């Protein structure tokens, strides 16, 4: 007789390809495989610490604010009530009916980028006696004043709003509230509803009258928009929202604007730092003219059809990577449970049938 791999009798050794595993072991192997897939799957987008990625100075606003306004080589323009100091750029003072903005003069042709903004919103108003908020922009239009936090409505591109006053008295949201909107020029921002009908996603953030530094990060990479905050003095990013299916063109401009009405606040920008993300794109995207892309979002339904959620998110929002993963995970777990139950039932029937022979 020929000895098998374990030194035993070949007649007693079965090659691995012909081994028949019991149902319980099969389900265990499937579960282990599933865990490996889970550990290998990408999680939520992690924002850069600002050191490992490339800072684009032509799109960044950093102390001592060289290249702003009337310098010999201006990179930034400002208008309205905006005031430039050595420590901050004040978009509006704590006064009624003020509008101000600051805009980069250089169009951005990066496909993947990340914007870090250090800001401060503060004023004498207490409770709800303050407003209105400010907005960060990546749009085709620039230096155009208007009713949307000091800038124009029906814009083309992306806006991230930091809204500090609830105009809708029936809302259950907690303010200040951060939200995002993607527009191709056809949508209007509804102040009376705090932009709820055109909102892509949002979250609550306690960012006003803080005694420590407050930050916001906006990341756009391969159709994925991620917004995170650092407003709790913990020196760590906290997720606000993460949405896939966002399409933004290149060649637009970065900016910030703010507005006050009957209520007011100081809206200060301390820095805006833009980083280029080194991301590989599939070969089929090489021939795309990214400047001709229409700003859009792939949603399951129109934002107007969504049901408002007091927690800050739409219940029927887009299927992000994590939602798809959770659906697949539930489906796989269901298949494993059905397989195990079916195998046990089949085995018991086989044993019962043997008793009749």
């Amino acid at each position: 007789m020929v000895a098998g791999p374990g030194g035993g009798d070949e007649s007693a050794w079965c090659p691995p390809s012909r081994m028949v595993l019991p149902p319980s072991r099969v389900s265990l192997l499937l579960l282990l495989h599933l865990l490996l897939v889970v550990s290998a799957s990408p999680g939520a987008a992690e924002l850069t610490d600002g050191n490992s990625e490339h800072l684009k100075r032509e799109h960044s606003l950093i102390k001592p604010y060289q290249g702003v306004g009337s310098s010999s080589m201006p990179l930034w323009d400002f208008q309205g009530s905006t005031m430039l100091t050595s420590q901050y750029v004040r978009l509006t003072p704590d006064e009624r009916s003020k509008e101000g903005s600051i805009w980069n003069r250089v169009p951005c042709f990066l496909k993947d980028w990340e914007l870090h903004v250090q800001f401060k919103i503060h004023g004498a108003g207490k409770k709800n006696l303050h407003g209105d908020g400010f907005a960060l922009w990546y749009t085709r239009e620039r230096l155009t004043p208007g009713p949307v936090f000091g800038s124009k409505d029906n814009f083309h591109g992306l806006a991230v709003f930091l809204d500090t006053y609830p105009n809708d008295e029936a809302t259950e949201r907690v303010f200040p509230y951060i939200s995002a909107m993607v527009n191709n020029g056809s949508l209007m921002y509804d102040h009376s509803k705090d932009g709820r009908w055109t909102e892509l996603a949002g979250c609550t953030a306690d960012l006003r009258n803080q005694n420590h530094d407050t930050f916001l990060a906006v990341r756009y990479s391969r159709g994925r928009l991620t917004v995170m905050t650092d407003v709790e003095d913990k020196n760590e990013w906290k997720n606000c929202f993460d949405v896939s299916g966002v399409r933004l063109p290149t060649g637009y401009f970065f900016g910030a604007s703010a507005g006050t009405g009957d209520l007011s606040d100081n809206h200060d920008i301390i820095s805006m730092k833009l980083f280029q993300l080194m991301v590989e794109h599939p070969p089929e995207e090489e021939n795309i003219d990214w400047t001709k892309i229409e700003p859009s979002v792939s949603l399951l339904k129109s934002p107007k059809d969504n049901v408002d959620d007091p927690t800050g998110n739409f219940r029927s929002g887009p299927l992000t990577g994590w939602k798809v993963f959770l659906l697949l995970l539930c489906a796989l777990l269901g298949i494993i449970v059905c397989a195990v139950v079916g195998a046990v039932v089949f085995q018991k029937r086989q044993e019962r049938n043997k008793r009749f022979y």
Side-chain angles (χ1 to χ4, degrees), residues 37-46 224 242 321-322 325:
V37 172
V38 171
S39 61
S41 61
E46 296 182 358
R224 186 174 179 182
D242 188 359
W322 268 109
F325 163 73

Side-chain angles (χ1 to χ4, degrees), residues 142-216:
R142 61 184 296 272
L143 281 175
T144 308
V148 185
F149 299 94
S151 193
K152 78 180 298 290
D153 209 342
N154 297 100
F155 59 90
H156 293 76
L158 168 70
V160 177
F161 304 119
L162 287 77
D163 193 349
T164 58
Y165 183 78
N167 293 286
D168 185 2
E169 296 180 356
T171 185
E172 298 182 12
R173 293 178 177 176
V174 179
F175 281 71
Y177 188 80
I178 301 173
S179 64
M181 175 180 176
V182 174
N183 198 352
N184 62 359
S186 65
L187 302 176
M188 294 185 65
Y189 181 85
D190 186 357
H191 271 287
S192 64
K193 296 296 182 181
D194 300 309
R196 187 164 65 249
W197 306 131
T198 53
E199 176 187 316
L200 176 61
C203 71
T204 295
D206 187 12
L207 46 80
R208 183 181 176 272
N209 272 352
Q210 296 289 359
N211 295 323
H212 50 263
D213 295 336
T214 48
F215 300 86
L216 182 78

Side-chain angles (χ1 to χ4, degrees), residues 120-346:
K120 189 172 182 64
I121 301 177
H122 58 106
K126 304 297 182 181
K127 293 184 178 180
N128 289 333
L129 301 178
H130 54 81
D132 289 333
F134 82 92
L136 300 172
W137 304 92
Y138 175 68
T139 57
R140 188 177 70 183
E141 306 85 1
R142 61 184 296 272
L143 281 175
T144 308
V148 185
F149 299 94
S151 193
K152 78 180 298 290
D153 209 342
N154 297 100
F155 59 90
H156 293 76
L158 168 70
V160 177
F161 304 119
L162 287 77
D163 193 349
T164 58
Y165 183 78
N167 293 286
D168 185 2
E169 296 180 356
T171 185
E172 298 182 12
R173 293 178 177 176
V174 179
F175 281 71
Y177 188 80
I178 301 173
S179 64
M181 175 180 176
V182 174
N183 198 352
N184 62 359
S186 65
L187 302 176
M188 294 185 65
Y189 181 85
D190 186 357
H191 271 287
S192 64
K193 296 296 182 181
D194 300 309
R196 187 164 65 249
W197 306 131
T198 53
E199 176 187 316
L200 176 61
C203 71
T204 295
D206 187 12
L207 46 80
R208 183 181 176 272
N209 272 352
Q210 296 289 359
N211 295 323
H212 50 263
D213 295 336
T214 48
F215 300 86
L216 182 78
V218 182
R219 179 188 181 105
Y220 178 70
S221 180
R222 298 190 65 176
R224 186 174 179 182
L225 178 67
T226 306
V227 172
M228 302 189 82
T229 61
D230 180 5
V231 297
E232 300 176 353
D233 200 24
K234 295 182 179 179
N235 197 29
E236 63 182 20
W237 293 114
K238 180 180 179 181
N239 184 62
C240 179
F241 58 82
D242 188 359
V243 180
S244 300
V246 178
R247 289 176 60 83
L248 297 174
T250 60
Y252 281 11
F253 297 92
F254 287 102
S257 68
T260 64
D262 292 335
L263 303 176
S264 61
D265 254 339
N266 296 302
H267 297 96
D268 299 341
I269 299 292
I270 300 171
S271 68
M272 296 175 65
K273 299 178 181 179
L274 187 76
F275 300 92
Q276 180 180 7
L277 301 176
M278 310 308 295
V279 177
E280 293 185 3
H281 287 260
E284 57 267 22
E285 295 184 0
E286 293 180 357
N287 297 325
I288 296 178
D289 186 351
W290 292 89
T291 63
K292 298 296 196 303
I293 291 177
E294 183 90 351
S296 63
V297 182
S298 300
L299 291 173
L300 291 178
K301 55 173 68 176
S302 169
K304 292 185 179 181
D305 296 330
N306 288 331
V307 178
D308 192 18
D309 186 345
T311 61
N313 294 311
F314 286 122
R315 297 188 183 97
S316 55
L319 281 178
T320 60
W322 268 109
K323 291 182 181 178
V324 173
F325 163 73
L326 290 176
L327 288 175
L328 292 176
L329 177 60
C330 293
L332 286 174
L333 290 177
I335 293 174
I336 292 174
V337 171
C338 291
V340 172
V341 172
V344 172
V345 171
F346 177 78

Side-chain angles (χ1 to χ4, degrees), residues 89-109:
V89 177
R90 176 156 292 172
L91 300 175
T92 69
D94 190 1
E95 300 174 7
R96 292 182 177 181
S97 302
K98 297 294 183 179
E99 291 182 357
S101 66
I102 186 166
W103 288 87
N104 192 204
R105 296 188 64 176
V106 184
C108 179
F109 291 98

